Amino acid sequence: MNLLILVLIAFIVFAIALKTYGGYLGKLVGLDDSKKTPAHTMTDGVDYVPAKAIVLMGHHFASIAGGGPILGPIQAAVFGWVPCFLWIVLGSIFIGGVHDFMSLISSVRHEGKTMGEVVGKNVGKSAKILFLIFVFLALVLVIAVFAILVANTFAANPSVATASILFMVIAVGMGYSLYRKGASLGLVTVIGVILLFLSIWIGLRAPLALGAKTWIYLLLVYVFFASSLPVWILLQPRDYLSSFLLYTALGGAAIGIFIGHPSLQLAAFTAFKQPVGYLFPMLFVIIACGAISGFHSLCASGTTSKQLDKESDAKVIGYGAMLLEGFLATIALGTAAMLTKAGLADGLANWGGPVGVFAHGMGNFLANLGIKEQVGISFGALTVSAFLLTTLDTATRLGRYALEELTAEWAPSISNRYVATVITIIAGGGLALSGTWSAIWPVFGASNQLLAGLALLGATAWLAHLGKKYTVTLYPMIFMFIVTFFALINLLFTNFAKGNYLLGSVSTVLIILAGFVVVEGMKAINKFKTLKTQVKEAK
């Protein structure tokens, strides 16, 4: 099998899905540009800031992509490339894309509030509180995992650390130029991209070498400012700028695959049981962001909905960005599938894990364009690190939002954005300093997918409340609940058996919280269904 064929199939199928299924979803919810979005009606210059579609697409894509669609498919490749590819494509179109789009537009219709507010309005107050507690715990896991991953990447690749710091400085300059000096977006973009690649060159010549633990502490300081500063100063322009790095990586990889058309060496299917667990349910948990991710619902309803300029932008930004992420996941899968089973095991062990496998694959692709393989490997590592960092700072901001909503009524002092940020960082940072990412990742993956199921539950209740057809979210919701409950129960027993009582306890709490939300949600959906039936009978 040739990797080029796989990539072409994914590209064509995703393009068709955006036009057809994406269009259907837009009609279902009635996208209407005459309705002013919260970015306009609630503008505050901090969180609610209208953004042009191309800028918001970059910010949103960078936020949701992170390292997930790269790390997950490479780890799951041990099951063989066929089940991974099928889950990436079908999951992105019918589950992940629906989840992201509905999370975005339902938030827009609820004043840009998070999915917690959507759940609260359409399911009930108690469900909202339980949902927000679940969200906060899930985000603490995200912060812990990605703080470790970014710190390890910076420690192993000091040039990437230098370039990443320069990215931040450039982003602040871009934000100031755009929103305070009224500079042209085109001009600022050109200058920003030039400086972006200049910073890569500087990084290679002036690497900043520090230990992983030191980087964790420095990253926790950084995310405090990233979470509490106005979104236009750092977060939005940095994500927009970083998106060009990923677009370049995607384009370069696609062209390199087209020229080199590498063969897939990995078996199409290996075995149902692997060291990471059984194909069901672990495949659907390990490949999270490349097919569906609950974290996306938090990005869509936490930051993106507050910046959406007009409702029609939701189709490309909400649904389209998920398909683009599926395309990235396909390429990431290809970097693993080009290797034999033994080669993949060796790469994971000696190249720095999934990040190293992806970086070496990028080096292979870009070598077909005449670029030195080592330069391509460094570029691949830098691309991954940029998006690991994006996930880290976005997760911190979203954790702050969840804590603010949770404590707004009974503890106003905690709902202060600075206090909420500090509490979020202490929880995530403490967990990061207590263990390795490989121990936390499975629990993060399972909680992330369960969060996706809960977000789909909120969207289903919202559609039912409106009297709309809600099967588009109901069936994906049921599937995600089945998968993740099995996975979390498995992880619960596994962690307790290994003596990891902290992660075992976290798994237990997540299952209990989700169970209560599901019960309340199904009651609400049945209530709306009954009311709709009564209205029809009355007519």
Side-chain angles (χ1 to χ4, degrees), residues 50 52 90:
K52 293 183 179 179
L90 297 177

Side-chain angles (χ1 to χ4, degrees), residues 80-413:
W81 62 265
V82 167
C84 295
F85 180 67
L86 290 175
W87 171 231
I88 288 169
V89 173
L90 297 177
S92 295
I93 293 171
F94 297 108
I95 304 181
V98 175
H99 166 273
D100 291 14
F101 173 80
M102 289 298 178
S103 298
L104 175 56
I105 195 61
S106 63
S107 173
V108 168
R109 300 278 176 84
H110 288 79
E111 299 182 329
K113 299 292 180 63
T114 67
M115 285 304 294
E117 184 67 21
V118 176
V119 169
K121 286 285 181 68
N122 297 281
V123 177
K125 188 174 181 179
S126 59
K128 173 186 175 180
I129 293 172
L130 294 170
F131 178 81
L132 287 173
I133 294 172
F134 182 97
V135 166
F136 182 75
L137 291 175
L139 286 169
V140 166
L141 290 170
V142 174
I143 293 167
V145 168
F146 285 90
I148 295 170
L149 286 171
V150 174
N152 289 344
T153 302
F154 283 0
N157 302 276
S159 62
V160 172
T162 301
S164 297
I165 292 172
L166 292 174
F167 284 178
M168 299 171 198
V169 176
I170 297 167
V172 171
M174 287 181 66
Y176 180 77
S177 300
L178 283 171
Y179 290 98
R180 287 296 178 264
K181 292 298 181 180
S184 162
L185 175 61
L187 177 63
V188 170
T189 299
V190 171
I191 295 173
V193 170
I194 292 172
L195 292 176
L196 167 67
F197 287 99
L198 178 61
S199 68
I200 296 172
W201 181 83
I202 294 173
L204 291 169
R205 282 154 182 76
L208 182 59
L210 296 172
K213 197 166 186 178
T214 302
W215 276 120
I216 288 179
Y217 285 114
L218 291 175
L219 287 166
L220 295 178
V221 173
Y222 158 72
V223 295
F224 169 79
F225 291 102
S227 171
S228 54
L229 287 172
V231 70
W232 62 267
I233 291 179
L234 176 61
L235 210 63
Q236 188 192 90
R238 190 182 67 78
D239 289 350
Y240 172 60
L241 185 62
S242 295
S243 68
F244 284 93
L245 189 63
L246 187 51
Y247 296 150
T248 302
L250 280 172
I255 296 171
I257 292 169
F258 182 78
I259 295 173
H261 44 82
S263 299
L264 300 180
Q265 303 294 326
L266 194 67
F269 176 75
T270 55
F272 190 78
K273 184 180 180 182
Q274 291 290 345
V276 294
Y278 292 95
L279 187 148
F280 181 89
M282 295 312 296
L283 171 70
F284 306 97
V285 167
I286 295 172
I287 299 182
C289 300
I292 179 174
S293 166
F295 180 70
H296 293 191
S297 70
L298 305 182
C299 294
S301 67
T303 57
T304 307
S305 63
K306 296 175 175 63
Q307 302 170 67
L308 194 73
D309 186 42
K310 55 183 186 296
E311 284 198 354
S312 60
D313 291 344
K315 175 185 169 183
V316 173
I317 294 172
Y319 189 72
M322 181 63 242
L323 300 184
L324 188 58
E325 184 165 346
F327 187 68
L328 171 62
T330 301
I331 289 177
L333 174 63
T335 63
M338 290 192 305
L339 305 171
T340 61
K341 183 179 179 180
L344 176 59
D346 181 65
L348 289 170
N350 301 313
W351 292 347
V355 174
V357 172
F358 179 78
H360 278 75
M362 283 297 299
N364 182 289
F365 299 148
L366 296 178
N368 294 321
L369 305 179
I371 298 172
K372 289 184 180 180
E373 187 171 359
Q374 189 55 49
V375 174
I377 291 173
S378 297
F379 179 74
L382 178 62
T383 301
V384 179
S385 69
F387 289 92
L388 292 174
L389 191 61
T390 295
T391 300
L392 177 61
D393 54 32
T394 301
T396 307
R397 196 177 191 93
L398 294 171
R400 188 254 286 182
Y401 287 157
L403 197 56
E404 285 177 357
E405 283 192 36
L406 190 60
T407 60
E409 293 183 13
W410 59 273
S413 59

Side-chain angles (χ1 to χ4, degrees), residues 446 483-496 507 511:
V483 166
T484 50
F485 272 122
F486 273 109
L488 275 172
I489 289 171
N490 176 60
L491 290 168
L492 184 157
F493 286 110
T494 300
N495 280 307
F496 277 127
S507 299
I511 291 172

